[in-house]
Amino acid sequence: MHIHVVNPNASAAMTEGIARAAEAAAPAGARVTTTGAAGGPLSIEGPVDGARAVPWMLERIEAAEARGADAPDAHVIACFDDTGLDAARCLARAPVVGIGEAAAHCATLVADRFAVVTSVPEALPVLRGNLARYGLAARCAGLRAAGVPVLDIDAGTPEALAAIRRETAAALTDDGAEAIVLGCAGMATLAADLSEEFGCPVIEGISAGLALAGALAGAGLRTSKRGAYAPPRAKAAP
């Protein structure tokens, strides 16, 4: 099984961190390749960054799909905003999993109510809209922003870690969450320690995305090409 993980931003450091997390979370026997969307924004913090990242990310999906016998059996979009997810599913025959959708679905299997702790406030409207579209808004006890830029989270600064812990505690005590979803790919390494500290399930998207991508590929499923995920129509040159 071959799983392609794509980081929609252009940060080489984040791509390397995502690659390490993906290798650690890969299903047994799976081969993982990780690519970054060089040319896009260095981080994705709201709708503008997301929109600017999409063309570069789609290039990585298309290139991977064009590898013939070496094409991936599944793709994982390693941004919690699920950047370009619908467009990627239109281009790909293999299943495409967004880590935001994957983490939220996994949370509902281990808790009745979960909360999302993400990076910056600009991300909250995107995540709120995604949860509503996935039909999971009613299971979300709260959306909280740590107020820390994505690249600071990826760097693991003490201020970033303290802010994430603070919002995690508030989500459990004030929002009534029973599980925490970490709303940034740069938080992947924090899940185990936070789960032990707070005594509840803490789900991060890289592991959730790899698990679901592996399950879909293992079941031999492909993306439907009827309706919403039909490939784009050919356009005549002007």
Side-chain angles (χ1 to χ4, degrees):
M1 181 189 300
H2 175 198
I3 301 175
H4 171 225
V5 179
V6 57
N7 172 22
N9 75 43
S11 167
M14 278 202 73
T15 299
E16 291 171 6
I18 287 166
R20 289 192 296 270
E23 290 284 353
R31 176 167 64 97
V32 177
T33 58
T34 302
T35 60
L42 282 175
S43 63
I44 297 174
E45 297 172 326
V48 173
D49 288 335
R52 288 175 172 164
V54 169
W56 301 93
M57 188 206 70
L58 293 182
E59 284 187 3
R60 303 302 180 270
I61 299 281
E62 284 191 293
E65 286 277 311
R67 290 180 190 145
D70 194 41
D73 300 296
H75 305 270
V76 175
I77 296 176
C79 175
F80 198 83
D81 287 11
D82 292 340
T83 305
L85 179 58
D86 286 342
R89 285 174 173 164
C90 291
L91 291 178
R93 281 285 180 183
V96 184
V97 175
I99 65 169
E101 185 175 16
H105 274 297
C106 286
T108 67
L109 301 178
V110 296
D112 182 53
R113 301 267 284 166
F114 66 89
V116 177
V117 176
T118 191
S119 54
V120 294
E122 293 89 335
L124 296 178
V126 175
L127 303 187
R128 190 175 297 114
N130 285 351
L131 288 171
R133 193 162 62 88
Y134 302 152
L136 299 176
R139 302 288 294 276
C140 182
L143 287 164
R144 289 181 167 270
V148 180
V150 167
L151 296 180
D152 287 358
I153 291 171
D154 188 59
T157 67
E159 295 81 7
L161 299 180
I164 292 164
R165 285 197 295 269
R166 180 191 68 234
E167 295 304 325
T168 296
L172 294 170
T173 58
D174 298 344
D175 301 339
E178 300 158 10
I180 299 297
V181 171
L182 297 178
C184 175
M187 297 179 183
T189 59
L190 306 180
D193 287 344
L194 290 173
S195 181
E196 182 176 357
E197 179 179 350
F198 290 100
C200 71
V202 177
I203 300 98
E204 59 85 14
I206 302 295
S207 295
L210 267 291
L212 292 187
L216 293 170
L221 294 175
R222 310 280 278 179
T223 302
S224 174
K225 293 299 139 187
R226 298 173 64 88
Y229 299 141
R233 296 178 186 276
K235 306 294 191 299

